[in-house]
Amino acid sequence: MGAGVLGVGKFSPEKVLTNFDLEKMVDTSDEWIRTRTGIEERRIADDDTDTSDMAYYASVNAMKDAGVQAEDLDLILVATVTPDYPFPSVACLIQEKLGAWNAAAMDLSAACAGCMYGMITAKQFIESDTYKNILVVGVEKLSKITNWEDRNTAVLFGDGAGAVVMGPVTDGRGVLSFELGSDGSGAKELFQDEPGIYMNGREVFKFAVRQMGESAVNVVEKAGLTKGDIDHLIPHQANIRIMEASRQRLELPEDRMVKTVQKYGNTSSSTIPIALAEAYEDGRINDDDIVVLVGFGGGLTWGAVTLKWGQ
Ligand code: UT7
């Protein structure tokens, strides 16, 4: 019995913040943002919508897609760096909203690679036959920690949530391989402190290009596959230039990479499940397709997963 994805869902706030809007807030231009990052617009949650609200909406969609009821959830794992409160966890807040009374619940912190860490934690519980239905959510309200006066970071981030329900699947399907890693010596390359997010953009860029390519190649090899077997590459949506470098390293044609960065910007732990949900809802992902997910983030952290789609 393998561990795989039973259902996916996403949520994006309605409010759109375009590059042109940002031109009025900081010294930047649509042209600079588009050519350096690929971002055209991002979504921003209103004051009444906190991280747990977005996590809840995405979870409801994923559970509906999976056909799993709240009482059937055994574990809720939420990857976020922007929880409503330091404690209790967002996972506990959505347990209550969902009415998932049989579930254990906790948050985990691995920044933009958080959802990869969550999915691989879920896989261990499922394959050891400890738990059956696990909700994994990547969610961020980055707008509440963004310094809107710092053009180096303000143009990059957005808000949103993506969720997957994981559970047992037929042998040969589900997670075929994974890689997780971290390097705390790079902690100060990307971190949050007053008054916002601090990032050494160039260093993070170099790390991301190297690590995403390497991790993606590693998980494909570990799964006993070759680059040509990949049907969909879903990289962390931080910057189109980093994403393109991964695609080229895997020698994939353009249409095999899922791209949402232009619409949502970098929503940290939620970019991968949002992109996965969007590709699935668009009918791009079919049973037995090979899907490679790969992320990197503050920590530094990274993670990659090869999935054979379907139950
Ligand atoms: O989820 C993980 C999070 N982080 C990332 O993935 C970020 C990784 N890094 C990057 O994506 C890129 O490094 C950035 C998009 C952040 C920056 O792109 P870059 O091509 O590395 O630009 P740069 O930092 O080398 O800056 C080039 C110039 C600088 O001006 P000078 O020194 O050449 O005169 C910056 O001051 O662009 C300037 N600049 C801007 N100009 C207009 C920096 N931010 C902006 C801006 N608008 N928003």
Side-chain angles (χ1 to χ4, degrees):
M1 191 64 91
V5 174
L6 309 181
V8 289
K10 63 178 169 58
F11 172 81
S12 293
E14 267 177 33
K15 187 184 168 194
V16 175
L17 185 71
T18 66
N19 293 348
F20 299 103
D21 296 326
L22 279 159
E23 284 181 354
K24 295 175 202 140
M25 298 162 65
V26 283
D27 179 17
T28 191
S29 66
D30 170 61
E31 210 257 332
W32 190 95
I33 303 170
R34 261 190 302 107
T35 53
R36 299 285 179 134
T37 72
I39 301 167
E40 291 165 22
E41 57 188 41
R42 68 288 288 141
R43 301 297 181 95
I44 304 292
D46 60 34
D47 290 346
D48 297 332
T49 306
D50 210 338
T51 303
S52 65
D53 300 304
M54 294 190 285
Y56 169 73
Y57 300 138
S59 299
V60 167
N61 292 336
M63 287 161 61
K64 204 162 158 196
D65 183 43
V68 166
Q69 306 301 314
E71 59 269 24
D72 297 331
L73 289 177
D74 301 305
L75 179 63
I76 300 173
L77 294 170
V78 176
T80 186
V81 295
T82 50
D84 299 38
Y85 312 106
F87 70 91
S89 63
V90 173
C92 281
L93 298 178
I94 65 169
Q95 178 204 26
E96 201 273 332
K97 285 182 214 251
L98 292 166
W101 304 117
N102 298 315
M106 68 171 174
D107 287 1
L108 62 89
S109 172
C112 306
C115 200
M116 302 293 88
Y117 274 73
M119 288 179 72
I120 295 311
T121 306
K123 166 188 143 68
Q124 312 306 327
F125 281 116
I126 294 160
E127 287 186 352
S128 63
D129 216 8
T130 313
Y131 292 139
K132 210 162 159 234
N133 297 308
I134 303 183
L135 175 65
V136 181
V137 187
V139 58
E140 304 293 355
K141 188 175 178 181
L142 289 167
S143 61
K144 68 181 176 186
I145 61 164
T146 299
N147 175 0
W148 292 105
E149 289 172 9
D150 176 14
R151 71 172 184 175
N152 292 304
T153 53
V155 302
L156 304 174
F157 301 110
D159 301 335
V164 297
V165 177
M166 292 185 67
V169 295
T170 324
D171 238 353
R173 283 180 170 171
V175 177
L176 301 182
S177 63
F178 73 92
E179 173 172 292
L180 295 177
S182 52
D183 175 8
S185 73
K188 285 296 172 85
E189 306 294 4
L190 176 53
F191 67 101
Q192 190 218 333
D193 205 351
E194 290 302 322
I197 300 166
Y198 170 84
M199 183 171 67
N200 183 345
R202 282 182 202 180
E203 279 311 306
V204 175
F205 190 96
K206 281 192 272 177
F207 154 72
V209 166
R210 190 186 65 245
Q211 195 57 56
M212 293 248 285
E214 235 169 75
S215 294
V217 168
N218 287 348
V219 291
V220 170
E221 277 173 9
K222 279 188 198 172
L225 300 171
T226 61
K227 294 169 183 168
D229 295 321
I230 303 171
D231 296 299
H232 312 281
L233 171 67
I234 306 188
H236 171 43
Q237 313 271 318
N239 183 320
I240 191 66
R241 289 150 59 210
I242 299 172
M243 294 162 59
E244 277 296 322
S246 310
R247 182 180 70 76
Q248 281 158 17
R249 177 89 183 260
L250 292 169
E251 297 163 17
L252 296 176
E254 268 183 45
D255 62 357
R256 301 250 180 117
M257 182 171 77
V258 178
K259 200 176 70 150
T260 59
V261 68
Q262 71 283 4
K263 290 196 283 188
Y264 305 125
N266 180 353
T267 58
S268 189
S269 65
S270 69
T271 70
I272 292 175
I274 288 175
L276 179 65
E278 189 150 313
Y280 177 71
E281 287 162 13
D282 288 347
R284 283 176 67 175
I285 303 182
N286 299 299
D287 277 359
D288 294 323
D289 279 1
I290 298 294
V291 184
V292 173
L293 313 175
V294 56
F296 69 94
L300 300 165
T301 54
W302 59 91
V305 175
T306 310
L307 283 172
K308 187 167 191 164
W309 198 256
Q311 302 182 35

